[in-house]
Amino acid sequence: MAHPFNKALNYLSSKKYDKALAIFKKLWKETPYKEIALNMDSAYRGLSDFDNALKYYLEANAPDLPYTDNTFSETYPKALNNLGLLAYTYENDVVACDLYAKALEVEPQYWDALWNYSQALGRRYCSNKYDRPALVWEMMEARFHRGDAGVTLKNKKKDLILWDYITKVDSIVVLTEQGFGDHLQFGRYLSVLEKFADKIWVQCADRAAVFYSKYNVCSDPLETDATHGVAFCNLARLCSDIPSGDWLKDKYVQKLPNGILDIGVTWSGNSAHGNDAYRSSKPGYFKQLSECGTLYTLNPTEVGTKGFIGLDSSGWDATIRELGKLDFVVCVDTSIAHLCGSLGMKCYCIMPLYDSDYRWGDSSMGTSNVWYDSVRVIRNNGSWEQAIKDCISLIKYENS
């Protein structure tokens, strides 16, 4: 029979926070240890009970609380990391960075802490509060070292050389990683890469080939003559300035005004996304947008929802054509926002309830962001109802 602690960990990993917490509370009452406090704070955080999460994050880091092997330490890197995550939730990014730095002093190869550090520092950079982007992109390479949570590049070409960002080469392949949104965001750097390579290959799924019609595409580097490879998001290391975001504008034909606002919406993203519980919303909130115009849905999983007209989402090329029939898009933080920004199409992107992505900056940026001129950012203060109201107000102001 599984030990109660392991059973609670299984509940925690499957996001059954209430069940996990019930066991952890019992174990904590019997014999308090650092590991129990650490997992209790994670369960509370999963339940959005941030006050209790903070309480047990601090308990876990207390120097007089032992580990399960009855040893003690002045600092507990995992607790410091979790405190940093909580600070990030409240946009206290300077505090978060300090906590991650302290964790890394104790455990220099704590890759999760380094990744989280890069996110907090990245949000400061995207809020015009930090001016060393090269360090941000370098730190984000921690994503390749995070074990089960890490990023793995797909490459069967054993002699492919990782590019050094300096040497001019005959042929290079840009290696796919993470999601479509990242590929769209960093696709702007492909034009910079042209200065360093005579021939550029882009590894991508067939349905994404429409984005890279200027380049050669492949499913695996083994199919190419490339001698060197570079991870897609690492292209940001090519220059200190952010190139214009509308790098796909030639593929977009804007709808001519006809007195009727046709609005594309999507209220959900990939359910496997780490922050999907806070990122995705419900159609009921988005139906309120009908007071501004006719609503269409772009997400294939949303087609058939009452109150929304379904559009062809059979592929990215079809989606681009459909966007040309709309005046603008309202969406949660998913790849559609990046597609609109890359096309130069107006988009209102509503942030998650908590833990907004680094790239959109913090609340000091208002509705602006450093990546796309055509994307308005609707900051979510913990209420979808209010976020939609704020969005409607901005739509009416900008489209009256």
mmCIF file of all heavy atoms in Angstrom, residues 275-316:
data_model
loop_
_atom_site.group_PDB
_atom_site.id
_atom_site.type_symbol
_atom_site.label_atom_id
_atom_site.label_comp_id
_atom_site.label_asym_id
_atom_site.label_seq_id
_atom_site.Cartn_x
_atom_site.Cartn_y
_atom_site.Cartn_z
ATOM 1 N N ASN A 275 -0.583 26.675 -17.479
ATOM 2 C CA ASN A 275 -1.410 27.660 -16.777
ATOM 3 C C ASN A 275 -2.829 27.708 -17.350
ATOM 4 O O ASN A 275 -3.528 28.710 -17.209
ATOM 5 C CB ASN A 275 -0.762 29.055 -16.878
ATOM 6 C CG ASN A 275 -1.309 30.019 -15.847
ATOM 7 O OD1 ASN A 275 -1.606 29.647 -14.715
ATOM 8 N ND2 ASN A 275 -1.461 31.283 -16.229
ATOM 9 N N ASP A 276 -3.252 26.616 -17.983
ATOM 10 C CA ASP A 276 -4.542 26.650 -18.680
ATOM 11 C C ASP A 276 -5.727 26.877 -17.739
ATOM 12 O O ASP A 276 -6.725 27.483 -18.125
ATOM 13 C CB ASP A 276 -4.761 25.358 -19.472
ATOM 14 C CG ASP A 276 -5.925 25.492 -20.437
ATOM 15 O OD1 ASP A 276 -5.835 26.327 -21.363
ATOM 16 O OD2 ASP A 276 -6.940 24.783 -20.261
ATOM 17 N N ALA A 277 -5.614 26.412 -16.512
ATOM 18 C CA ALA A 277 -6.721 26.590 -15.556
ATOM 19 C C ALA A 277 -7.018 28.068 -15.336
ATOM 20 O O ALA A 277 -8.170 28.455 -15.112
ATOM 21 C CB ALA A 277 -6.385 25.922 -14.230
ATOM 22 N N TYR A 278 -6.002 28.906 -15.401
ATOM 23 C CA TYR A 278 -6.180 30.346 -15.228
ATOM 24 C C TYR A 278 -6.264 31.073 -16.566
ATOM 25 O O TYR A 278 -6.786 32.178 -16.639
ATOM 26 C CB TYR A 278 -5.019 30.936 -14.414
ATOM 27 C CG TYR A 278 -4.971 30.476 -12.983
ATOM 28 C CD1 TYR A 278 -3.751 30.263 -12.340
ATOM 29 C CD2 TYR A 278 -6.130 30.271 -12.250
ATOM 30 C CE1 TYR A 278 -3.694 29.856 -11.010
ATOM 31 C CE2 TYR A 278 -6.088 29.863 -10.932
ATOM 32 C CZ TYR A 278 -4.863 29.656 -10.318
ATOM 33 O OH TYR A 278 -4.820 29.257 -9.008
ATOM 34 N N ARG A 279 -5.720 30.465 -17.623
ATOM 35 C CA ARG A 279 -5.659 31.130 -18.930
ATOM 36 C C ARG A 279 -6.958 31.016 -19.704
ATOM 37 O O ARG A 279 -7.435 31.992 -20.286
ATOM 38 C CB ARG A 279 -4.506 30.533 -19.749
ATOM 39 C CG ARG A 279 -4.395 31.101 -21.144
ATOM 40 C CD ARG A 279 -3.325 30.414 -21.963
ATOM 41 N NE ARG A 279 -3.690 29.061 -22.347
ATOM 42 C CZ ARG A 279 -3.173 28.425 -23.394
ATOM 43 N NH1 ARG A 279 -2.250 29.025 -24.138
ATOM 44 N NH2 ARG A 279 -3.534 27.206 -23.685
ATOM 45 N N SER A 280 -7.543 29.833 -19.750
ATOM 46 C CA SER A 280 -8.770 29.626 -20.517
ATOM 47 C C SER A 280 -9.975 30.099 -19.721
ATOM 48 O O SER A 280 -9.997 30.039 -18.485
ATOM 49 C CB SER A 280 -8.932 28.150 -20.898
ATOM 50 O OG SER A 280 -7.970 27.779 -21.867
ATOM 51 N N SER A 281 -11.004 30.560 -20.444
ATOM 52 C CA SER A 281 -12.200 31.095 -19.814
ATOM 53 C C SER A 281 -13.409 30.260 -20.232
ATOM 54 O O SER A 281 -13.266 29.103 -20.635
ATOM 55 C CB SER A 281 -12.368 32.567 -20.217
ATOM 56 O OG SER A 281 -13.476 33.140 -19.562
ATOM 57 N N LYS A 282 -14.596 30.853 -20.169
ATOM 58 C CA LYS A 282 -15.835 30.168 -20.548
ATOM 59 C C LYS A 282 -16.589 31.006 -21.570
ATOM 60 O O LYS A 282 -16.500 32.240 -21.568
ATOM 61 C CB LYS A 282 -16.705 29.921 -19.309
ATOM 62 C CG LYS A 282 -16.053 28.981 -18.295
ATOM 63 C CD LYS A 282 -16.958 28.780 -17.083
ATOM 64 C CE LYS A 282 -16.295 27.832 -16.078
ATOM 65 N NZ LYS A 282 -17.133 27.633 -14.866
ATOM 66 N N PRO A 283 -17.339 30.353 -22.458
ATOM 67 C CA PRO A 283 -18.021 31.094 -23.521
ATOM 68 C C PRO A 283 -19.016 32.131 -23.012
ATOM 69 O O PRO A 283 -19.255 33.141 -23.667
ATOM 70 C CB PRO A 283 -18.729 30.000 -24.328
ATOM 71 C CG PRO A 283 -18.804 28.811 -23.418
ATOM 72 C CD PRO A 283 -17.576 28.896 -22.571
ATOM 73 N N GLY A 284 -19.587 31.891 -21.824
ATOM 74 C CA GLY A 284 -20.578 32.824 -21.301
ATOM 75 C C GLY A 284 -20.042 34.239 -21.156
ATOM 76 O O GLY A 284 -20.737 35.215 -21.441
ATOM 77 N N TYR A 285 -18.807 34.348 -20.702
ATOM 78 C CA TYR A 285 -18.201 35.676 -20.569
ATOM 79 C C TYR A 285 -18.059 36.336 -21.941
ATOM 80 O O TYR A 285 -18.353 37.524 -22.111
ATOM 81 C CB TYR A 285 -16.829 35.570 -19.899
ATOM 82 C CG TYR A 285 -16.874 35.143 -18.458
ATOM 83 C CD1 TYR A 285 -16.259 33.957 -18.047
ATOM 84 C CD2 TYR A 285 -17.520 35.915 -17.493
ATOM 85 C CE1 TYR A 285 -16.285 33.556 -16.725
ATOM 86 C CE2 TYR A 285 -17.555 35.518 -16.164
ATOM 87 C CZ TYR A 285 -16.931 34.340 -15.779
ATOM 88 O OH TYR A 285 -16.968 33.943 -14.473
ATOM 89 N N PHE A 286 -17.609 35.553 -22.919
ATOM 90 C CA PHE A 286 -17.334 36.106 -24.242
ATOM 91 C C PHE A 286 -18.605 36.437 -25.018
ATOM 92 O O PHE A 286 -18.571 37.255 -25.932
ATOM 93 C CB PHE A 286 -16.427 35.144 -25.023
ATOM 94 C CG PHE A 286 -14.978 35.262 -24.641
ATOM 95 C CD1 PHE A 286 -14.536 34.830 -23.403
ATOM 96 C CD2 PHE A 286 -14.065 35.829 -25.507
ATOM 97 C CE1 PHE A 286 -13.209 34.958 -23.027
ATOM 98 C CE2 PHE A 286 -12.729 35.967 -25.154
ATOM 99 C CZ PHE A 286 -12.302 35.525 -23.912
ATOM 100 N N LYS A 287 -19.731 35.821 -24.633
ATOM 101 C CA LYS A 287 -20.995 36.158 -25.298
ATOM 102 C C LYS A 287 -21.377 37.614 -25.063
ATOM 103 O O LYS A 287 -22.105 38.209 -25.864
ATOM 104 C CB LYS A 287 -22.115 35.228 -24.796
ATOM 105 C CG LYS A 287 -22.085 33.845 -25.410
ATOM 106 C CD LYS A 287 -23.242 32.993 -24.917
ATOM 107 C CE LYS A 287 -23.182 31.596 -25.538
ATOM 108 N NZ LYS A 287 -24.280 30.724 -25.046
ATOM 109 N N GLN A 288 -20.892 38.192 -23.974
ATOM 110 C CA GLN A 288 -21.192 39.593 -23.689
ATOM 111 C C GLN A 288 -20.651 40.525 -24.769
ATOM 112 O O GLN A 288 -21.121 41.651 -24.934
ATOM 113 C CB GLN A 288 -20.625 39.975 -22.323
ATOM 114 C CG GLN A 288 -21.234 39.200 -21.162
ATOM 115 C CD GLN A 288 -20.564 39.525 -19.838
ATOM 116 O OE1 GLN A 288 -20.455 40.683 -19.467
ATOM 117 N NE2 GLN A 288 -20.117 38.488 -19.137
ATOM 118 N N LEU A 289 -19.668 40.041 -25.530
ATOM 119 C CA LEU A 289 -19.099 40.838 -26.614
ATOM 120 C C LEU A 289 -20.084 41.053 -27.759
ATOM 121 O O LEU A 289 -19.852 41.881 -28.639
ATOM 122 C CB LEU A 289 -17.838 40.154 -27.155
ATOM 123 C CG LEU A 289 -16.642 40.104 -26.195
ATOM 124 C CD1 LEU A 289 -15.642 39.059 -26.660
ATOM 125 C CD2 LEU A 289 -15.970 41.471 -26.099
ATOM 126 N N SER A 290 -21.213 40.332 -27.738
ATOM 127 C CA SER A 290 -22.199 40.461 -28.820
ATOM 128 C C SER A 290 -22.798 41.860 -28.872
ATOM 129 O O SER A 290 -23.350 42.263 -29.899
ATOM 130 C CB SER A 290 -23.312 39.418 -28.659
ATOM 131 O OG SER A 290 -24.007 39.612 -27.442
ATOM 132 N N GLU A 291 -22.695 42.626 -27.770
ATOM 133 C CA GLU A 291 -23.205 43.994 -27.813
ATOM 134 C C GLU A 291 -22.336 44.879 -28.702
ATOM 135 O O GLU A 291 -22.722 45.995 -29.047
ATOM 136 C CB GLU A 291 -23.301 44.584 -26.413
ATOM 137 C CG GLU A 291 -21.990 44.822 -25.711
ATOM 138 C CD GLU A 291 -22.185 45.431 -24.319
ATOM 139 O OE1 GLU A 291 -22.432 44.672 -23.359
ATOM 140 O OE2 GLU A 291 -22.095 46.664 -24.225
ATOM 141 N N CYS A 292 -21.156 44.364 -29.081
ATOM 142 C CA CYS A 292 -20.264 45.136 -29.957
ATOM 143 C C CYS A 292 -20.387 44.716 -31.420
ATOM 144 O O CYS A 292 -20.034 45.495 -32.323
ATOM 145 C CB CYS A 292 -18.816 44.958 -29.518
ATOM 146 S SG CYS A 292 -18.474 45.526 -27.846
ATOM 147 N N GLY A 293 -20.831 43.487 -31.680
ATOM 148 C CA GLY A 293 -20.909 43.025 -33.060
ATOM 149 C C GLY A 293 -21.245 41.545 -33.148
ATOM 150 O O GLY A 293 -21.644 40.915 -32.158
ATOM 151 N N THR A 294 -21.084 40.970 -34.333
ATOM 152 C CA THR A 294 -21.346 39.551 -34.581
ATOM 153 C C THR A 294 -20.126 38.729 -34.183
ATOM 154 O O THR A 294 -18.990 39.084 -34.518
ATOM 155 C CB THR A 294 -21.657 39.313 -36.073
ATOM 156 O OG1 THR A 294 -22.728 40.176 -36.467
ATOM 157 C CG2 THR A 294 -22.053 37.866 -36.316
ATOM 158 N N LEU A 295 -20.370 37.631 -33.472
ATOM 159 C CA LEU A 295 -19.273 36.835 -32.921
ATOM 160 C C LEU A 295 -19.010 35.568 -33.726
ATOM 161 O O LEU A 295 -19.938 34.832 -34.076
ATOM 162 C CB LEU A 295 -19.579 36.457 -31.469
ATOM 163 C CG LEU A 295 -19.876 37.618 -30.509
ATOM 164 C CD1 LEU A 295 -20.078 37.091 -29.096
ATOM 165 C CD2 LEU A 295 -18.772 38.668 -30.543
ATOM 166 N N TYR A 296 -17.737 35.319 -33.985
ATOM 167 C CA TYR A 296 -17.278 34.127 -34.702
ATOM 168 C C TYR A 296 -16.204 33.456 -33.855
ATOM 169 O O TYR A 296 -15.414 34.126 -33.193
ATOM 170 C CB TYR A 296 -16.669 34.502 -36.053
ATOM 171 C CG TYR A 296 -17.590 35.252 -36.979
ATOM 172 C CD1 TYR A 296 -17.815 36.616 -36.820
ATOM 173 C CD2 TYR A 296 -18.226 34.595 -38.038
ATOM 174 C CE1 TYR A 296 -18.665 37.310 -37.672
ATOM 175 C CE2 TYR A 296 -19.073 35.286 -38.901
ATOM 176 C CZ TYR A 296 -19.289 36.641 -38.703
ATOM 177 O OH TYR A 296 -20.124 37.325 -39.561
ATOM 178 N N THR A 297 -16.186 32.128 -33.878
ATOM 179 C CA THR A 297 -15.147 31.444 -33.115
ATOM 180 C C THR A 297 -14.120 30.818 -34.049
ATOM 181 O O THR A 297 -14.451 30.266 -35.103
ATOM 182 C CB THR A 297 -15.724 30.364 -32.177
ATOM 183 O OG1 THR A 297 -14.649 29.768 -31.456
ATOM 184 C CG2 THR A 297 -16.476 29.285 -32.934
ATOM 185 N N LEU A 298 -12.843 30.919 -33.642
ATOM 186 C CA LEU A 298 -11.716 30.471 -34.460
ATOM 187 C C LEU A 298 -11.136 29.140 -33.994
ATOM 188 O O LEU A 298 -10.341 28.537 -34.687
ATOM 189 C CB LEU A 298 -10.610 31.529 -34.420
ATOM 190 C CG LEU A 298 -10.970 32.885 -35.045
ATOM 191 C CD1 LEU A 298 -10.109 33.981 -34.455
ATOM 192 C CD2 LEU A 298 -10.799 32.824 -36.543
ATOM 193 N N ASN A 299 -11.522 28.712 -32.807
ATOM 194 C CA ASN A 299 -10.959 27.494 -32.238
ATOM 195 C C ASN A 299 -11.836 26.300 -32.620
ATOM 196 O O ASN A 299 -13.035 26.304 -32.356
ATOM 197 C CB ASN A 299 -10.898 27.632 -30.715
ATOM 198 C CG ASN A 299 -10.128 26.521 -30.051
ATOM 199 O OD1 ASN A 299 -10.139 25.384 -30.510
ATOM 200 N ND2 ASN A 299 -9.451 26.838 -28.957
ATOM 201 N N PRO A 300 -11.274 25.245 -33.245
ATOM 202 C CA PRO A 300 -12.094 24.107 -33.659
ATOM 203 C C PRO A 300 -12.821 23.425 -32.504
ATOM 204 O O PRO A 300 -13.896 22.855 -32.698
ATOM 205 C CB PRO A 300 -11.079 23.160 -34.322
ATOM 206 C CG PRO A 300 -9.745 23.607 -33.847
ATOM 207 C CD PRO A 300 -9.858 25.074 -33.624
ATOM 208 N N THR A 301 -12.276 23.498 -31.293
ATOM 209 C CA THR A 301 -12.942 22.868 -30.153
ATOM 210 C C THR A 301 -14.139 23.686 -29.686
ATOM 211 O O THR A 301 -14.947 23.205 -28.902
ATOM 212 C CB THR A 301 -11.968 22.695 -28.975
ATOM 213 O OG1 THR A 301 -11.544 23.980 -28.503
ATOM 214 C CG2 THR A 301 -10.745 21.898 -29.401
ATOM 215 N N GLU A 302 -14.271 24.934 -30.174
ATOM 216 C CA GLU A 302 -15.361 25.807 -29.747
ATOM 217 C C GLU A 302 -16.498 25.882 -30.764
ATOM 218 O O GLU A 302 -17.570 26.417 -30.464
ATOM 219 C CB GLU A 302 -14.808 27.221 -29.508
ATOM 220 C CG GLU A 302 -13.756 27.285 -28.415
ATOM 221 C CD GLU A 302 -12.994 28.596 -28.389
ATOM 222 O OE1 GLU A 302 -13.222 29.440 -29.288
ATOM 223 O OE2 GLU A 302 -12.176 28.782 -27.482
ATOM 224 N N VAL A 303 -16.238 25.364 -31.972
ATOM 225 C CA VAL A 303 -17.253 25.424 -33.031
ATOM 226 C C VAL A 303 -18.501 24.656 -32.587
ATOM 227 O O VAL A 303 -18.412 23.556 -32.039
ATOM 228 C CB VAL A 303 -16.702 24.844 -34.347
ATOM 229 C CG1 VAL A 303 -17.821 24.719 -35.383
ATOM 230 C CG2 VAL A 303 -15.595 25.734 -34.891
ATOM 231 N N GLY A 304 -19.668 25.248 -32.804
ATOM 232 C CA GLY A 304 -20.925 24.631 -32.398
ATOM 233 C C GLY A 304 -21.482 25.216 -31.120
ATOM 234 O O GLY A 304 -22.618 24.909 -30.734
ATOM 235 N N THR A 305 -20.707 26.081 -30.453
ATOM 236 C CA THR A 305 -21.194 26.724 -29.238
ATOM 237 C C THR A 305 -22.258 27.750 -29.603
ATOM 238 O O THR A 305 -22.046 28.590 -30.482
ATOM 239 C CB THR A 305 -20.040 27.415 -28.489
ATOM 240 O OG1 THR A 305 -19.019 26.453 -28.219
ATOM 241 C CG2 THR A 305 -20.536 27.992 -27.177
ATOM 242 N N LYS A 306 -23.392 27.680 -28.944
ATOM 243 C CA LYS A 306 -24.507 28.572 -29.246
ATOM 244 C C LYS A 306 -24.097 30.034 -29.048
ATOM 245 O O LYS A 306 -23.481 30.396 -28.051
ATOM 246 C CB LYS A 306 -25.693 28.248 -28.344
ATOM 247 C CG LYS A 306 -26.968 28.996 -28.702
ATOM 248 C CD LYS A 306 -28.123 28.552 -27.832
ATOM 249 C CE LYS A 306 -29.403 29.302 -28.174
ATOM 250 N NZ LYS A 306 -30.539 28.885 -27.302
ATOM 251 N N GLY A 307 -24.462 30.853 -30.026
ATOM 252 C CA GLY A 307 -24.164 32.276 -29.954
ATOM 253 C C GLY A 307 -22.931 32.682 -30.723
ATOM 254 O O GLY A 307 -22.612 33.870 -30.819
ATOM 255 N N PHE A 308 -22.228 31.691 -31.304
ATOM 256 C CA PHE A 308 -21.005 31.970 -32.051
ATOM 257 C C PHE A 308 -21.061 31.269 -33.411
ATOM 258 O O PHE A 308 -21.442 30.096 -33.494
ATOM 259 C CB PHE A 308 -19.767 31.487 -31.290
ATOM 260 C CG PHE A 308 -19.626 32.074 -29.920
ATOM 261 C CD1 PHE A 308 -20.232 31.457 -28.827
ATOM 262 C CD2 PHE A 308 -18.919 33.243 -29.711
ATOM 263 C CE1 PHE A 308 -20.125 31.979 -27.560
ATOM 264 C CE2 PHE A 308 -18.806 33.774 -28.435
ATOM 265 C CZ PHE A 308 -19.408 33.155 -27.359
ATOM 266 N N ILE A 309 -20.663 31.959 -34.449
ATOM 267 C CA ILE A 309 -20.610 31.378 -35.784
ATOM 268 C C ILE A 309 -19.234 30.748 -35.973
ATOM 269 O O ILE A 309 -18.210 31.392 -35.751
ATOM 270 C CB ILE A 309 -20.860 32.453 -36.860
ATOM 271 C CG1 ILE A 309 -22.226 33.097 -36.664
ATOM 272 C CG2 ILE A 309 -20.741 31.861 -38.262
ATOM 273 C CD1 ILE A 309 -22.473 34.318 -37.531
ATOM 274 N N GLY A 310 -19.211 29.487 -36.381
ATOM 275 C CA GLY A 310 -17.945 28.791 -36.578
ATOM 276 C C GLY A 310 -17.271 29.194 -37.875
ATOM 277 O O GLY A 310 -17.929 29.403 -38.893
ATOM 278 N N LEU A 311 -15.957 29.310 -37.842
ATOM 279 C CA LEU A 311 -15.168 29.613 -39.027
ATOM 280 C C LEU A 311 -14.285 28.423 -39.374
ATOM 281 O O LEU A 311 -14.064 27.534 -38.553
ATOM 282 C CB LEU A 311 -14.300 30.845 -38.785
ATOM 283 C CG LEU A 311 -15.040 32.177 -38.581
ATOM 284 C CD1 LEU A 311 -14.044 33.278 -38.253
ATOM 285 C CD2 LEU A 311 -15.832 32.545 -39.831
ATOM 286 N N ASP A 312 -13.774 28.418 -40.578
ATOM 287 C CA ASP A 312 -12.914 27.334 -41.036
ATOM 288 C C ASP A 312 -11.580 27.401 -40.292
ATOM 289 O O ASP A 312 -10.814 28.358 -40.438
ATOM 290 C CB ASP A 312 -12.682 27.464 -42.545
ATOM 291 C CG ASP A 312 -11.832 26.322 -43.111
ATOM 292 O OD1 ASP A 312 -11.434 25.428 -42.338
ATOM 293 O OD2 ASP A 312 -11.581 26.332 -44.331
ATOM 294 N N SER A 313 -11.308 26.409 -39.475
ATOM 295 C CA SER A 313 -10.042 26.363 -38.737
ATOM 296 C C SER A 313 -9.307 25.061 -39.040
ATOM 297 O O SER A 313 -8.634 24.491 -38.192
ATOM 298 C CB SER A 313 -10.303 26.494 -37.228
ATOM 299 O OG SER A 313 -11.241 25.516 -36.801
ATOM 300 N N SER A 314 -9.437 24.607 -40.298
ATOM 301 C CA SER A 314 -8.851 23.333 -40.702
ATOM 302 C C SER A 314 -7.334 23.408 -40.841
ATOM 303 O O SER A 314 -6.670 22.391 -40.936
ATOM 304 C CB SER A 314 -9.467 22.875 -42.023
ATOM 305 O OG SER A 314 -9.299 23.863 -43.029
ATOM 306 N N GLY A 315 -6.797 24.603 -40.859
ATOM 307 C CA GLY A 315 -5.350 24.781 -40.962
ATOM 308 C C GLY A 315 -5.017 26.249 -40.790
ATOM 309 O O GLY A 315 -5.893 27.113 -40.832
ATOM 310 N N TRP A 316 -3.732 26.538 -40.598
ATOM 311 C CA TRP A 316 -3.349 27.933 -40.390
ATOM 312 C C TRP A 316 -3.597 28.786 -41.626
ATOM 313 O O TRP A 316 -3.931 29.971 -41.509
ATOM 314 C CB TRP A 316 -1.889 28.019 -39.973
ATOM 315 C CG TRP A 316 -1.646 27.554 -38.569
ATOM 316 C CD1 TRP A 316 -0.969 26.434 -38.182
ATOM 317 C CD2 TRP A 316 -2.074 28.190 -37.364
ATOM 318 N NE1 TRP A 316 -0.950 26.336 -36.816
ATOM 319 C CE2 TRP A 316 -1.614 27.404 -36.282
ATOM 320 C CE3 TRP A 316 -2.797 29.352 -37.095
ATOM 321 C CZ2 TRP A 316 -1.863 27.738 -34.954
ATOM 322 C CZ3 TRP A 316 -3.042 29.694 -35.769
ATOM 323 C CH2 TRP A 316 -2.576 28.889 -34.709
#
